Amino acid sequence: MADEVLNQEDAISSEKEIEGTEPTAEETGQNEDGSTKGDSSKKGFFGKKKEKPDPKDEKIEELTDRLQRSMAEFDNFRKRTDKEKSAMFEIGAKDIIERILPVADNFERGLAAIPEEEKDSAFADGMEKIYRQLVKALEEAGVKPIEAVGQPFNPDFHNAVMHIEDESLGENVVAQELLKGYTYRDTVVRHSMVQVAN
C-alpha cells in the first residue's frame, strides 16, 4: 500500500516536471510551510505561529522609553534654568541701573549749577567729560532716556506731578521734565517726572 502511495506521488511529480510546474502542496500532502497535513502543533488557532515575546526586546523597549523620558526631563530642566538665569540677569541689571541713575542726575544738576563764567574752566570740562562717559556706558548697556518735553502725555512712560494751563501747548502735552526717565531694553526703569499742560 505504501509503495502505491509513493508511486502515485512520483507519477504526479513526473507529470508536473513534464508540464514545467512544481507539484502543489495539496498534491504532495504537505502544508505550505513544509509540514505534513494534520501536524498543527506548531500553529495557533488561526493558523499563525504563536510567538512568545523575547524578554530582551521587552527590556530594550523599557530602557529606550526610560532614556527618552530622561532626555526630555533634562531638556525641560535646561530650558527652565536658562530662563531663570536670564530673568535673574535682567533683575540684577535693572537693580544696578536704578542705583547708577541718581549719579547721572547729580552730574546733570552739578553741570547746570556751574556759573556761566566758569563753564570753560578745566574743572567744568572734566565734569562734562565724565558725565558723557557715564551716559555712553549706560547707552551701550541698553539704557535710553525717555523723550518727554513736547511729547503727548503717556502714563506708560511719564509720571505727571504738576499741571499748568498754557495756550501755546496742546492738550495733555508734556511742558517740562522735572526728572529724566529711562528705559532698559524697552522696559521702563524709571518714569519721567513731568509737568503736563492743559
Coordinates of all heavy atoms in Angstrom, one line a residue, residues 14-83:
S14 N 6.4 13.6 -11.7 CA 6.9 13.4 -13.1 C 6.0 14.2 -14.0 O 6.5 14.9 -14.9 CB 6.9 11.9 -13.5 OG 7.7 11.2 -12.6
E15 N 4.7 14.1 -13.8 CA 3.8 14.8 -14.7 C 4.0 16.3 -14.6 O 4.1 17.1 -15.6 CB 2.3 14.6 -14.3 CG 1.9 13.2 -14.8 CD 0.5 12.9 -14.3 OE1 -0.3 13.9 -14.0 OE2 0.1 11.7 -14.2
K16 N 4.2 16.8 -13.4 CA 4.4 18.3 -13.2 C 5.8 18.7 -13.8 O 5.9 19.8 -14.3 CB 4.4 18.6 -11.7 CG 3.1 18.4 -11.0 CD 2.1 19.5 -11.5 CE 0.8 19.3 -10.9 NZ -0.2 20.2 -11.4
E17 N 6.8 17.9 -13.7 CA 8.1 18.2 -14.3 C 8.0 18.3 -15.8 O 8.6 19.2 -16.4 CB 9.1 17.1 -13.9 CG 9.7 17.3 -12.5 CD 10.6 16.2 -12.1 OE1 11.1 15.4 -13.0 OE2 10.9 16.0 -10.9
I18 N 7.2 17.4 -16.4 CA 7.0 17.4 -17.8 C 6.3 18.7 -18.2 O 6.6 19.3 -19.2 CB 6.2 16.2 -18.3 CG1 7.1 14.9 -18.1 CG2 5.8 16.3 -19.7 CD1 6.3 13.6 -18.2
E19 N 5.2 19.1 -17.4 CA 4.5 20.3 -17.7 C 5.3 21.5 -17.3 O 4.9 22.6 -17.7 CB 3.2 20.3 -16.9 CG 2.2 19.2 -17.3 CD 1.0 19.1 -16.4 OE1 0.8 20.1 -15.6 OE2 0.2 18.1 -16.5
G20 N 6.3 21.4 -16.5 CA 7.2 22.5 -16.2 C 6.7 23.3 -15.0 O 7.0 24.4 -14.8
T21 N 5.8 22.6 -14.1 CA 5.3 23.3 -12.9 C 5.7 22.4 -11.7 O 5.8 21.2 -11.8 CB 3.8 23.5 -12.9 OG1 3.2 22.2 -13.1 CG2 3.4 24.5 -14.0
E22 N 5.7 23.0 -10.6 CA 6.0 22.3 -9.3 C 4.7 21.7 -8.8 O 3.6 22.2 -9.0 CB 6.5 23.3 -8.2 CG 7.9 23.8 -8.5 CD 9.0 22.8 -8.3 OE1 8.8 22.0 -7.3 OE2 9.9 22.7 -9.1
P23 N 4.8 20.5 -8.2 CA 3.6 19.9 -7.6 C 3.1 20.8 -6.5 O 3.8 21.4 -5.8 CB 4.0 18.6 -7.1 CG 5.5 18.7 -7.0 CD 6.0 19.7 -8.0
T24 N 1.7 20.9 -6.4 CA 1.2 21.8 -5.3 C 1.3 21.0 -4.0 O 1.4 19.8 -3.9 CB -0.3 22.1 -5.6 OG1 -1.0 20.8 -5.7 CG2 -0.5 22.8 -6.9
A25 N 1.1 21.9 -2.9 CA 1.1 21.3 -1.6 C 0.0 20.3 -1.4 O 0.2 19.3 -0.7 CB 1.0 22.4 -0.6
E26 N -1.1 20.6 -2.0 CA -2.3 19.7 -1.9 C -2.0 18.3 -2.4 O -2.3 17.3 -1.9 CB -3.5 20.3 -2.6 CG -4.8 20.0 -1.9 CD -5.9 20.8 -2.5 OE1 -6.1 21.9 -2.1 OE2 -6.5 20.2 -3.4
E27 N -1.3 18.4 -3.6 CA -1.0 17.1 -4.3 C 0.1 16.3 -3.5 O 0.0 15.1 -3.5 CB -0.5 17.4 -5.7 CG -1.6 18.0 -6.6 CD -1.1 18.5 -7.9 OE1 0.1 18.8 -8.0 OE2 -1.9 18.6 -8.8
T28 N 1.0 17.0 -2.9 CA 2.1 16.2 -2.2 C 1.7 15.8 -0.8 O 2.4 15.1 -0.1 CB 3.4 17.0 -2.2 OG1 3.1 18.3 -1.5 CG2 3.9 17.3 -3.5
G29 N 0.6 16.4 -0.3 CA 0.1 16.1 1.0 C 0.8 16.9 2.1 O 0.9 16.4 3.2
Q30 N 1.4 18.0 1.7 CA 2.1 18.8 2.7 C 1.5 20.2 2.8 O 0.8 20.7 1.9 CB 3.6 19.0 2.2 CG 4.4 17.7 2.3 CD 5.8 18.0 1.9 OE1 6.1 19.0 1.3 NE2 6.7 17.1 2.2
N31 N 1.7 20.9 3.9 CA 1.3 22.3 4.1 C 2.3 23.2 3.4 O 3.4 22.7 3.0 CB 1.3 22.6 5.6 CG 0.2 21.9 6.3 OD1 -0.9 21.7 5.8 ND2 0.5 21.4 7.5
E32 N 1.9 24.4 3.3 CA 2.8 25.4 2.6 C 4.1 25.6 3.3 O 5.1 25.9 2.6 CB 2.0 26.7 2.4 CG 0.9 26.6 1.4 CD 0.2 27.9 1.2 OE1 0.7 29.0 1.7 OE2 -0.9 27.9 0.7
D33 N 4.1 25.5 4.6 CA 5.4 25.7 5.3 C 6.3 24.4 5.3 O 7.3 24.4 6.0 CB 5.1 26.2 6.7 CG 4.3 25.1 7.6 OD1 3.9 24.1 7.0 OD2 4.1 25.4 8.8
G34 N 5.8 23.4 4.6 CA 6.7 22.2 4.6 C 6.3 21.1 5.5 O 6.7 20.0 5.4
S35 N 5.4 21.4 6.5 CA 5.0 20.4 7.5 C 3.9 19.5 6.8 O 3.2 20.0 5.9 CB 4.5 21.0 8.8 OG 3.4 21.8 8.5
T36 N 3.8 18.3 7.3 CA 2.7 17.4 6.8 C 1.4 17.8 7.3 O 1.3 18.4 8.4 CB 3.0 16.0 7.1 OG1 3.1 15.9 8.6 CG2 4.3 15.5 6.5
K37 N 0.4 17.5 6.5 CA -1.0 17.9 6.9 C -1.4 17.1 8.2 O -1.0 16.0 8.4 CB -2.0 17.5 5.8 CG -1.9 18.4 4.6 CD -3.1 18.3 3.7 CE -3.0 19.3 2.6 NZ -4.1 19.2 1.6
G38 N -2.1 17.8 9.0 CA -2.5 17.2 10.3 C -1.6 17.5 11.4 O -1.8 17.3 12.5
D39 N -0.4 18.1 11.0 CA 0.6 18.5 12.0 C 0.3 20.0 12.4 O 0.9 20.8 11.8 CB 2.0 18.3 11.5 CG 3.0 18.6 12.6 OD1 2.7 18.7 13.7 OD2 4.2 18.8 12.2
S40 N -0.5 20.2 13.4 CA -0.9 21.6 13.7 C -0.3 22.0 15.1 O -0.8 22.9 15.7 CB -2.4 21.7 13.7 OG -3.0 20.8 14.7
S41 N 0.6 21.2 15.6 CA 1.2 21.5 16.9 C 1.9 22.8 16.9 O 2.0 23.5 18.0 CB 2.1 20.4 17.3 OG 3.2 20.3 16.4
K42 N 2.5 23.3 15.8 CA 3.3 24.5 15.8 C 2.5 25.7 15.4 O 3.0 26.8 15.4 CB 4.4 24.3 14.7 CG 5.5 23.3 15.1 CD 6.5 23.3 14.1 CE 7.6 22.2 14.5 NZ 8.6 22.0 13.5
K43 N 1.2 25.5 15.1 CA 0.4 26.7 14.7 C -0.7 27.0 15.8 O -1.1 26.1 16.5 CB -0.4 26.3 13.4 CG 0.6 26.2 12.2 CD -0.2 26.1 11.0 CE 0.8 26.1 9.8 NZ 0.1 26.1 8.5
G44 N -1.1 28.2 15.7 CA -2.1 28.7 16.7 C -3.5 28.4 16.1 O -3.7 27.7 15.1
F45 N -4.5 29.0 16.7 CA -5.9 28.8 16.4 C -6.2 29.3 14.9 O -6.9 28.7 14.2 CB -6.8 29.5 17.4 CG -8.3 29.3 17.1 CD1 -8.8 28.1 17.5 CD2 -9.0 30.3 16.6 CE1 -10.2 27.9 17.2 CE2 -10.4 30.1 16.3 CZ -11.0 28.9 16.7
F46 N -5.6 30.4 14.6 CA -5.9 31.0 13.2 C -4.8 30.6 12.2 O -4.7 31.3 11.2 CB -6.0 32.5 13.3 CG -7.2 32.9 14.1 CD1 -7.1 33.5 15.3 CD2 -8.5 32.8 13.5 CE1 -8.2 33.8 16.0 CE2 -9.6 33.1 14.2 CZ -9.5 33.7 15.5
G47 N -4.0 29.6 12.5 CA -3.0 29.2 11.5 C -1.7 29.9 11.6 O -0.8 29.7 10.8
K48 N -1.6 30.8 12.6 CA -0.3 31.6 12.7 C 0.4 31.0 13.9 O -0.2 30.6 14.9 CB -0.6 33.1 13.0 CG -1.1 33.8 11.7 CD -1.3 35.2 12.0 CE -1.8 35.9 10.8 NZ -2.1 37.4 11.0
K49 N 1.7 31.1 13.8 CA 2.5 30.6 14.9 C 2.4 31.6 16.1 O 2.4 32.8 15.9 CB 4.0 30.5 14.5 CG 4.3 29.3 13.6 CD 5.8 29.2 13.4 CE 6.1 28.1 12.4 NZ 7.5 28.0 12.2
K50 N 2.3 31.0 17.3 CA 2.2 31.9 18.5 C 3.7 32.2 18.9 O 4.4 31.3 19.2 CB 1.5 31.2 19.6 CG 0.0 31.0 19.4 CD -0.6 30.4 20.6 CE -2.1 30.2 20.3 NZ -2.8 29.5 21.4
E51 N 4.0 33.5 18.8 CA 5.4 33.9 19.2 C 5.4 34.4 20.6 O 4.6 35.3 20.9 CB 5.9 34.9 18.2 CG 6.2 34.3 16.8 CD 6.8 35.3 15.9 OE1 7.1 36.4 16.3 OE2 6.8 35.1 14.7
K52 N 6.3 33.9 21.4 CA 6.4 34.4 22.7 C 7.3 35.7 22.7 O 8.3 35.7 22.0 CB 7.1 33.3 23.6 CG 6.5 33.1 24.9 CD 7.2 32.0 25.6 CE 6.7 31.9 27.0 NZ 7.5 30.9 27.7
P53 N 6.9 36.8 23.3 CA 7.7 38.0 23.3 C 9.1 37.7 24.0 O 9.2 37.1 25.0 CB 7.0 39.0 24.1 CG 6.0 38.3 24.9 CD 5.7 37.0 24.2
D54 N 10.1 38.2 23.3 CA 11.5 38.0 23.8 C 11.7 38.9 24.9 O 11.5 40.1 24.8 CB 12.5 38.3 22.6 CG 13.9 37.8 23.0 OD1 14.1 37.4 24.1 OD2 14.8 37.8 22.1
P55 N 12.2 38.4 26.1 CA 12.4 39.3 27.3 C 13.5 40.4 27.0 O 13.4 41.5 27.5 CB 12.9 38.3 28.3 CG 12.8 36.9 27.8 CD 12.4 37.0 26.4
K56 N 14.4 40.0 26.1 CA 15.4 41.0 25.7 C 14.8 42.2 25.0 O 15.1 43.4 25.3 CB 16.5 40.4 24.8 CG 17.4 39.4 25.5 CD 18.4 38.9 24.5 CE 19.3 37.8 25.2 NZ 20.1 37.1 24.3
D57 N 13.9 41.9 24.1 CA 13.2 43.0 23.3 C 12.4 43.9 24.3 O 12.3 45.1 24.2 CB 12.2 42.5 22.3 CG 13.0 41.8 21.1 OD1 14.2 42.2 21.0 OD2 12.4 41.0 20.4
E58 N 11.7 43.2 25.3 CA 10.9 44.0 26.3 C 11.8 44.9 27.1 O 11.5 46.1 27.3 CB 10.2 43.0 27.2 CG 9.0 42.4 26.5 CD 8.3 41.4 27.4 OE1 8.8 41.2 28.6 OE2 7.2 40.9 27.0
K59 N 13.0 44.4 27.5 CA 13.9 45.2 28.3 C 14.5 46.3 27.4 O 14.6 47.5 27.9 CB 15.1 44.3 28.7 CG 16.0 44.9 29.8 CD 15.3 45.0 31.1 CE 16.2 45.6 32.1 NZ 15.5 45.9 33.4
I60 N 14.8 46.1 26.2 CA 15.2 47.2 25.3 C 14.2 48.3 25.2 O 14.5 49.5 25.3 CB 15.6 46.6 23.9 CG1 16.9 45.8 24.0 CG2 15.8 47.7 22.9 CD1 17.2 45.0 22.7
E61 N 12.9 47.9 25.0 CA 11.8 48.9 24.9 C 11.7 49.7 26.1 O 11.6 50.9 26.1 CB 10.5 48.2 24.6 CG 10.4 47.8 23.1 CD 9.0 47.1 22.9 OE1 8.1 47.3 23.6 OE2 9.0 46.3 21.9
E62 N 11.8 49.0 27.3 CA 11.7 49.7 28.6 C 12.8 50.7 28.8 O 12.6 51.8 29.2 CB 11.7 48.6 29.7 CG 11.6 49.2 31.1 CD 11.9 48.2 32.2 OE1 11.8 47.0 32.0 OE2 12.2 48.7 33.3
L63 N 14.1 50.2 28.5 CA 15.2 51.1 28.6 C 15.2 52.3 27.7 O 15.5 53.4 28.0 CB 16.5 50.3 28.5 CG 16.8 49.3 29.6 CD1 18.0 48.4 29.2 CD2 17.1 50.0 30.9
T64 N 14.7 52.0 26.4 CA 14.6 53.1 25.5 C 13.6 54.2 25.9 O 13.8 55.4 25.8 CB 14.2 52.6 24.1 OG1 15.1 51.6 23.7 CG2 14.1 53.6 23.0
D65 N 12.5 53.7 26.5 CA 11.4 54.6 27.0 C 12.0 55.4 28.1 O 11.8 56.6 28.2 CB 10.2 53.8 27.4 CG 9.1 54.7 27.9 OD1 8.7 55.5 27.1 OD2 8.6 54.5 29.0
R66 N 12.7 54.8 29.1 CA 13.3 55.5 30.2 C 14.3 56.5 29.8 O 14.3 57.7 30.3 CB 13.9 54.5 31.2 CG 12.9 53.8 32.1 CD 13.5 52.7 32.9 NE 14.5 53.1 33.8 CZ 15.3 52.3 34.5 NH1 15.1 51.0 34.4 NH2 16.2 52.8 35.3
L67 N 15.1 56.2 28.7 CA 16.1 57.1 28.2 C 15.4 58.3 27.6 O 15.8 59.5 27.8 CB 17.0 56.4 27.2 CG 18.0 57.3 26.5 CD1 19.1 57.8 27.5 CD2 18.7 56.5 25.4
Q68 N 14.4 58.1 26.8 CA 13.7 59.2 26.1 C 13.0 60.1 27.2 O 13.1 61.3 27.0 CB 12.6 58.7 25.2 CG 13.2 58.1 23.9 CD 12.2 57.4 23.0 OE1 11.1 57.1 23.5 NE2 12.5 57.2 21.8
R69 N 12.5 59.5 28.2 CA 11.9 60.4 29.3 C 12.9 61.2 30.0 O 12.7 62.4 30.3 CB 11.1 59.5 30.3 CG 9.8 58.9 29.8 CD 9.2 58.0 30.8 NE 8.1 57.3 30.2 CZ 6.8 57.7 30.3 NH1 6.6 58.8 30.8 NH2 5.9 57.0 29.7
S70 N 14.1 60.6 30.3 CA 15.2 61.3 31.0 C 15.7 62.4 30.1 O 16.0 63.5 30.6 CB 16.3 60.3 31.3 OG 15.9 59.3 32.2
M71 N 15.8 62.2 28.8 CA 16.3 63.2 27.9 C 15.3 64.4 27.9 O 15.7 65.5 27.9 CB 16.6 62.6 26.5 CG 17.8 61.8 26.4 SD 18.0 61.0 24.8 CE 18.3 62.3 23.8
A72 N 14.0 64.1 27.8 CA 13.0 65.1 27.8 C 13.0 65.9 29.1 O 12.9 67.2 29.0 CB 11.6 64.5 27.5
E73 N 13.1 65.2 30.2 CA 13.2 65.9 31.5 C 14.4 66.8 31.6 O 14.4 68.0 32.1 CB 13.2 64.9 32.7 CG 11.9 64.3 32.9 CD 12.0 63.2 34.0 OE1 13.0 63.0 34.7 OE2 11.0 62.4 34.1
F74 N 15.6 66.3 31.1 CA 16.8 67.1 31.1 C 16.7 68.4 30.2 O 17.1 69.5 30.6 CB 18.0 66.3 30.7 CG 19.3 67.1 30.7 CD1 19.9 67.4 31.8 CD2 19.8 67.5 29.4 CE1 21.1 68.2 31.8 CE2 21.0 68.2 29.4 CZ 21.6 68.6 30.6
D75 N 16.1 68.2 29.1 CA 15.9 69.3 28.1 C 15.0 70.4 28.8 O 15.2 71.6 28.7 CB 15.2 68.8 26.8 CG 15.3 69.8 25.7 OD1 16.3 70.5 25.6 OD2 14.3 70.0 25.0
N76 N 13.9 69.9 29.5 CA 13.0 70.9 30.1 C 13.7 71.6 31.3 O 13.6 72.8 31.5 CB 11.8 70.1 30.7 CG 10.8 69.7 29.6 OD1 10.8 70.2 28.5 ND2 10.0 68.7 29.9
F77 N 14.5 70.9 32.0 CA 15.3 71.4 33.1 C 16.3 72.5 32.6 O 16.4 73.6 33.1 CB 16.1 70.3 33.8 CG 17.1 70.8 34.8 CD1 16.7 71.4 36.0 CD2 18.5 70.8 34.5 CE1 17.7 71.8 36.9 CE2 19.4 71.3 35.4 CZ 19.0 71.8 36.6
R78 N 17.0 72.2 31.5 CA 17.9 73.1 30.9 C 17.2 74.4 30.4 O 17.7 75.5 30.7 CB 18.6 72.5 29.7 CG 19.7 73.3 29.1 CD 20.4 72.6 27.9 NE 19.5 72.1 26.9 CZ 18.9 72.8 26.0 NH1 19.1 74.1 25.9 NH2 18.1 72.3 25.1
K79 N 16.1 74.3 29.8 CA 15.3 75.4 29.3 C 14.9 76.3 30.5 O 14.9 77.5 30.5 CB 14.1 75.0 28.5 CG 14.5 74.5 27.1 CD 13.2 74.0 26.4 CE 13.6 73.5 25.0 NZ 12.5 72.8 24.3
R80 N 14.4 75.6 31.6 CA 13.9 76.3 32.7 C 15.0 77.1 33.4 O 14.9 78.3 33.8 CB 13.3 75.3 33.7 CG 12.5 76.0 34.9 CD 11.7 75.0 35.7 NE 12.5 73.9 36.2 CZ 12.4 72.6 35.8 NH1 11.6 72.3 34.9 NH2 13.2 71.7 36.4
T81 N 16.2 76.5 33.6 CA 17.3 77.1 34.2 C 17.9 78.3 33.4 O 18.2 79.3 33.9 CB 18.5 76.2 34.5 OG1 18.8 75.4 33.3 CG2 18.1 75.2 35.6
D82 N 17.9 78.1 32.0 CA 18.3 79.2 31.2 C 17.3 80.4 31.3 O 17.8 81.6 31.4 CB 18.3 78.8 29.7 CG 19.5 77.9 29.3 OD1 20.4 77.8 30.2 OD2 19.4 77.3 28.3
K83 N 16.0 80.1 31.4 CA 15.0 81.2 31.6 C 15.2 81.9 32.9 O 15.2 83.1 33.0 CB 13.6 80.6 31.5 CG 12.5 81.6 31.3 CD 11.2 80.9 31.0 CE 10.1 81.9 30.9 NZ 8.8 81.2 30.7

